[in-house]
Amino acid sequence: MNIAHHQDLAETTGFPLRVSAAMAARLDMPGVAAQFLPDGRELVVSDLALVDPIGDEVHSPVKGLTHRYPDRVILRATLTCAVHCRFCFRREVVGDAGPLAEADLAAALDYVAARPAIREVILTGGDPLMLSERRIIGLLERIAAIPHVDLIRLHSRIPVVSPERITPALVKAMDLRPAVWMVLHVNHADEIGVEAEGALARLVKGGVPVLSQSVLLRGANDAPEILEALFRKLLMLRVKPYYLHHADLVRGGEHFRTTIAEGQAIMAALRGKISGTALPQYVIDLPGGHGKVPLGPDYLAAGPKGHRIRDPQGVWHDYADPDRGLLRAVKSG
Ligand SMILES: *Cc1c(COP(=O)(O)O)cnc(C)c1O
Ligand code: SF4
């Protein structure tokens, strides 16, 4: 595929075109192309779009670290990625800045070490697996040395977009005392080639549980059949779908955003049709740093017996909570 004119358009948007070798080989697939090739609509400026869509900076006590929830922090170990996803909520900051400077990294790790309430360190970016193997292993070891950290989570696109980086040595280094979990970012089954399948198999066989997160993207995966194919494929690769994110308010990304009703309808179409193990939670990251919230769809409403609950076919059923008064009247034992 000739991508020269795409390159020019990408430069105009200020977010350069970048695809890994594995994705370049799959750009003829519409579900892949829509994620990585720039689109003239990126130049449309919406009043709704934000530079920091999910409020990373609102709860950032030290550079590169966001502490929004009591028990976990995210650490942006590098701002470099193997691919540039046009819908990225960090597209304003992702680029070639490279790894967090050692002084900032040390300050971030000191912050974690000084707070026993932090049980989990989530490595994100950019893409943390863009760091050199030596740096990744060193970072895992430094986090593992903090006694109260039980979990390390890696949020990455690498197993799919640059599967060759998932080396046996890297997988071996993930076999640590704080359990290492991976959350794979993948949006379409067409992204997953045989090399990616191999990388995921290495991780799973190496003892790393793998979850997935996807972004609901208008024009790329906003149909129940497309997501069904993705989630089924992930389960076969022993990857559990975790989150389906509503697209963020990204500058230049409005054309990717579905309505919430559209997202709920897709989830409702999947519920009851495909394995419950295949279903992620549909969530929105509230602008302003207020956190992630499940978006339903809603199956519960008020009714004459207390509740009415909608089944997957759309039929409503009455449902009552326990009658505590009645239970109290009969003494136990
Ligand atoms: C998304 C996010 C997390 C992780 O949330 P989970 O619901 O545990 O996956 C943690 N911290 C921040 C700041 C986040 O944006
Ligand atoms: S890999 Fe992640 S951080 Fe990097 S551009 Fe894509 S969505 Fe953004």
Side-chain angles (χ1 to χ4, degrees), residues 54 66 68-69 72 74 122 153 242-243 285 292:
I54 72 166
T66 302
R68 181 197 289 159
Y69 304 106
R72 57 208 189 276
I74 59 177
I122 302 169
R153 207 196 305 174
Y242 173 48
Y243 277 151
D285 220 310
K292 287 183 192 61

Side-chain angles (χ1 to χ4, degrees), residues 229-246:
L230 171 64
F231 299 151
R232 282 190 191 280
K233 184 156 192 172
L234 288 169
L235 280 188
M236 285 192 297
L237 297 168
R238 292 181 276 180
V239 176
K240 162 75 186 114
Y242 173 48
Y243 277 151
L244 176 66
H245 294 273
H246 191 69

Side-chain angles (χ1 to χ4, degrees), residues 106-324:
L109 295 177
D110 285 347
Y111 178 92
V112 175
R115 288 167 181 76
I118 299 172
R119 310 287 294 272
E120 180 175 18
V121 175
I122 302 169
L123 297 175
T124 174
D127 198 310
L129 295 185
M130 283 300 281
L131 295 172
S132 69
E133 191 174 281
R134 180 184 58 82
R135 270 187 200 266
I136 298 167
I137 294 172
L139 181 55
L140 293 176
E141 284 169 353
R142 284 166 80 179
I143 299 170
I146 304 173
H148 52 268
V149 173
D150 302 326
L151 295 168
I152 299 175
R153 207 196 305 174
L154 287 154
H155 280 190
S156 179
R157 238 171 169 333
I158 290 297
V160 163
V161 302
S162 299
E164 69 284 354
R165 294 184 76 95
I166 306 296
T167 59
L170 189 61
V171 176
K172 194 154 179 288
M174 292 181 189
D175 191 7
L176 277 178
R177 178 200 52 81
V180 178
W181 286 59
M182 171 91 66
V183 179
L184 169 72
H185 173 182
V186 59
N187 303 312
H188 197 293
D190 287 346
E191 283 169 61
I192 307 171
V194 286
E195 296 80 10
E197 293 183 7
L200 291 168
R202 287 195 288 285
L203 285 165
V204 173
K205 286 185 184 151
V208 180
V210 186
L211 308 174
S212 70
Q213 56 179 339
S214 307
V215 184
L216 180 59
L217 297 168
R218 188 158 168 256
N221 65 7
D222 62 332
E225 318 76 68
I226 294 176
L227 289 177
E228 175 180 344
L230 171 64
F231 299 151
R232 282 190 191 280
K233 184 156 192 172
L234 288 169
L235 280 188
M236 285 192 297
L237 297 168
R238 292 181 276 180
V239 176
K240 162 75 186 114
Y242 173 48
Y243 277 151
L244 176 66
H245 294 273
H246 191 69
D248 293 302
L249 294 167
V250 177
R251 191 180 338 183
E254 274 296 86
H255 57 291
F256 281 118
R257 214 150 59 93
T258 66
T259 65
I260 288 176
E262 286 162 350
Q264 290 178 324
I266 289 170
M267 290 305 295
L270 295 176
R271 166 71 57 191
K273 177 167 185 270
I274 66 172
S275 170
T277 59
L279 292 180
Q281 202 168 41
Y282 175 42
V283 294
I284 190 167
D285 220 310
L286 272 173
H290 302 291
K292 287 183 192 61
V293 183
L295 287 177
D298 242 337
Y299 292 94
L300 187 65
K305 290 188 179 172
H307 304 293
R308 298 183 74 212
I309 302 176
R310 188 163 53 95
D311 69 27
Q313 284 70 45
V315 181
W316 289 90
H317 305 270
D318 288 321
Y319 184 84
D321 280 329
D323 187 338
R324 290 268 154 75

